[in-house]
Amino acid sequence: MKQNGPDVEVMQLVGLFEVYVLNLLITLAMFLILTFRAWIELKNYRIMWKELEWGKTREVAGRILRAEKDLFAGVEGGKELYTLLCELFQVTGSQ
């Protein structure tokens, strides 16, 4: 005997509603996870960008220091200043 009364229809609607709510919760959880991962990637990108900028700065400062080494030698305390600047900008082969 088949029942098509209002109770069966309500039970079917409740089951369908539960599936929709579960789908919504899963979608929101996935969105939160993806947002968190994007935030971490942004932080990593900023760190890498700062490292690249610092590398360029060191390269330019190294070229200037090597080119102007004689200028530092002619000034009192210039050798010490030159050595400190070379250490700061991690210039190799400057001694």
Side-chain angles (χ1 to χ4, degrees), residues 18-82:
E18 289 175 352
V19 170
Y20 285 142
V21 169
L22 182 62
N23 186 16
L24 178 64
L25 290 175
I26 291 172
T27 303
L28 288 174
M30 289 172 48
F31 176 76
L32 289 174
I33 290 170
L34 288 175
T35 303
F36 180 69
R37 288 184 65 193
W39 177 68
I40 290 173
E41 289 296 324
L42 178 64
K43 284 179 65 175
N44 289 338
Y45 175 77
R46 286 181 180 164
I47 290 169
M48 290 184 341
W49 185 258
K50 286 179 184 178
E51 285 293 322
L52 287 172
E53 285 180 341
W54 177 241
K56 290 177 186 176
T57 302
R58 283 192 330 240
E59 183 181 327
V60 170
R63 277 191 261 144
I64 293 171
L65 284 172
R66 285 187 204 103
E68 301 296 333
K69 184 175 183 177
D70 296 334
L71 179 69
F72 286 98
V75 181
E76 182 182 338
K79 288 186 179 185
E80 292 84 8
L81 177 61
Y82 180 78

